[in-house]
Each structure stands twice: as C-alpha cells, then as structure tokens.
Amino acid sequence: MRDAAVAALVRGLFALVRALGPDRAGALGGAVARRVGPLVKAHRIALGNVAAAFPELSDAERRGIVGEAWENLGRTAAEYVHLERIWDFDPARPVGRIEVAPEAIARFEALREDGKPALFFAAHLANWELPAVAAAKHGLPSAVLYRTPNNRAVAADIRALREGIMGRLIAADVAAPIRMMEALDEGLHVGMLIDQRFGRGPKVPFLGRPAAANPLLARLARRFDCPVHGARAIRLPGGRFRLELTEAVELPRDARGRVEVEAATALLNRIVEGWVREHPGQWLWMHRRWR
C-alpha cells in the first residue's frame, strides 16, 4: 500500500510538471531546489566537497557554486518528463534548445556508419540524461546503464519515459556487466555515468583527493578493444544546452598492448574532473564520492 501511494504521488507530480511545460517546470524546480537544498544534510556534504576541491575560493564563492548545483539538480528533475520536447535539435535551424558541437555531429555520424561497438562515459553534469538522448537521436544503436528506483511501479513509469528516447536500458544490478557485454557483442554503443563512488574500485585522483572509482568501463574497453568517447551536456542560459562528444580517448596500455584498467580509469576520471572544474555549478556535489 505504501509503494502504491508513493507511485500515485510520483505520477501526480509528473502530470503537474508536464502540464507546466519545460520552461516553467525548470524554473520552478530550480527555485524550489535552491530554497530547500540548504536545509538538508546533503548541503553540508556539498559545501565540504567544494571546499576541498577549491581551497582557493572564498566561502561566498563556494556557497555560490553549491547554490547553482541545487538549482541545476532541481531543473534536471523537472526536465525529466520533458526530454522529448527539450530535444529540438535541427542542423538546419541555428537557434533552438539544443546545440550540438559540429565536431560532435561528425563523430556521431562516423560511429553510426562504422558498424562497430563503442563505449561512452558521462557524468552528473547539467542534464545528464541528454547525452544518451543525443546518441539515440543521431541514429546510434545504443544501450544505457541506469539505476532503477526501488518502487516497482515508479521504476516502470521511469522506464517508459526513457525507453523511447534512449535506446536499450540496462538496469544497474549484478547482471549489468553481462548485459553490457552482450550489447557490445551486438555492436551497440554502450554508455554509463562514471563519477559516482564505487567502493570496490581502485582509488584514483579526483578533484584533489583519492576517490574510489568504477573500473567497469575500462574493463569493457580492455575486453572489447573498442573506442571510448566522453559525452557531456553544458547548461546554457534560457533553458538551452550544448552537447559535446570527445574524440576517441587514447587509453593507457600494458606491455602486451591491452588496456591498463586502473590507469585508464584514472584518465577517464581526470577528463571528468576537467569538465567539473570548467562548470562547477553544474555538477552533483551532494554525492559522498570521498567517503
């Protein structure tokens, strides 16, 4: 009964946010998160993380970054049900909600035509759902690792929202590595977020401190010897976004020419660190990455 009540509440919120439209919903979500965020425990975690990453900044500057991060989180949550409407990219129209870097378009097209599998890494930056949408909208057969809510009804609703615009969805459970390998065997382009703590992973430098990192993507790259690209969204003023896709990352290799997992994991996290430092107010600082 409790799960049913929660599912009904979530569906009601989805309906309300959908009725508001992407602009008003995003503005409302951002304003609410800015107001409520400082009242919860995660706010202290975020301030501590920013202080450790940017010791040279003043307290006011750090609070500004965390305030922006709360607003970004609120906007991202409110945009969830509007992803199909937000994605309006048209190469023939210079102005829209979505802007894709020209080099990214060329890379998406090359990946679509080469008939080979590839791996994508992303991070909790701006609206982190958009890189997966970008891959699918550019015609790449793709699969995305995602975390399912514990509530089955809510999980089904979330899956229905995402399936039509993100390709195949792979639940982040104990069978996920096998399903990701199966997808790569089929020639799909497989993406995952790599910036969360993974207690069983290697410790790599991240924003000035050792952080436990997930080595799964590097292990898959070692096994399949396929290209690895970084994908990110950058939030712009006016409810707009810029999508970027890196060239294939040259991963460190051992004496036998195989991808060196720990060094490759460190390199990918170093790239994500650069993204975070470029737009610190768009990252999810509330996560306890350095427990």
Side-chain angles (χ1 to χ4, degrees):
M1 291 178 63
R2 182 185 62 191
D3 285 353
V6 170
L9 176 62
V10 171
R11 286 168 181 161
L13 288 172
F14 277 3
L16 173 62
V17 172
R18 189 177 287 110
L20 288 172
D23 293 322
R24 287 189 295 172
L28 178 61
V32 170
R34 264 193 183 268
R35 180 66 63 87
V36 175
L39 305 179
V40 302
K41 181 181 178 181
H43 187 69
R44 296 194 298 274
I45 295 171
L47 285 172
N49 287 339
V50 172
F54 298 100
E56 73 281 5
L57 297 183
S58 67
D59 288 343
E61 289 171 318
R62 295 169 188 164
R63 288 194 299 270
I65 289 174
V66 176
E68 289 178 26
W70 279 119
E71 179 174 344
N72 181 73
L73 178 59
R75 285 183 174 275
T76 299
E79 290 161 352
Y80 200 83
V81 300
H82 295 292
L83 289 174
E84 188 69 58
R85 291 180 63 183
I86 288 173
W87 186 269
D88 65 350
F89 175 69
D90 182 350
R93 185 179 59 191
V95 178
R97 292 183 186 275
I98 300 296
E99 168 188 327
V100 183
E103 62 273 16
I105 297 174
R107 287 166 187 155
F108 277 129
E109 292 174 348
L111 286 164
R112 185 182 64 220
E113 301 300 328
D114 67 9
K116 300 175 183 178
L119 288 160
F120 295 95
F121 65 93
H124 289 87
L125 282 158
N127 187 318
W128 52 86
E129 306 288 349
L130 287 174
V133 177
K137 291 294 186 180
H138 279 86
L140 271 66
S142 57
V144 181
L145 184 70
Y146 81 109
R147 180 169 294 178
T148 58
N150 293 330
N151 185 303
R152 291 186 178 181
V154 174
D157 290 345
I158 295 294
R159 189 176 186 92
L161 278 172
R162 302 176 74 162
E163 269 185 327
I165 56 174
M166 295 186 187
R168 183 183 304 178
L169 300 179
I170 299 175
D173 55 23
V174 293
I178 295 174
R179 295 195 180 103
M180 293 173 78
M181 286 189 286
E182 291 172 346
L184 289 167
D185 273 330
E186 294 175 37
L188 270 62
H189 304 81
V190 178
M192 64 178 289
L193 298 163
I194 66 167
D195 58 335
Q196 289 187 300
R197 180 181 182 274
F198 187 77
R200 300 186 302 277
K203 293 286 186 70
V204 303
F206 188 69
L207 292 167
R209 290 180 286 170
N214 192 335
L216 177 56
L217 190 136
R219 287 176 177 164
L220 291 171
R222 177 186 176 104
R223 181 182 180 92
F224 287 87
D225 199 21
C226 60
V228 175
H229 296 262
R232 67 164 170 167
I234 300 170
R235 189 177 291 278
L236 304 174
R240 299 176 59 247
F241 298 89
R242 177 179 172 85
L243 275 294
E244 295 183 349
L245 183 69
T246 71
E247 61 185 354
V249 179
E250 289 291 333
L251 299 178
R253 295 178 180 268
D254 60 21
R256 296 172 59 184
R258 299 179 302 176
V259 171
E260 209 291 308
V261 171
E262 185 166 342
T265 301
L267 173 59
L268 299 180
N269 276 265
R270 191 157 63 247
I271 293 171
V272 171
E273 177 180 333
W275 294 346
V276 174
R277 291 191 180 279
E278 187 177 350
H279 298 284
Q282 299 188 19
W283 193 57
L284 196 67
W285 291 97
M286 306 78 177
H287 176 56
R288 295 181 63 194
R289 179 74 192 269
W290 295 272
R291 279 181 290 173

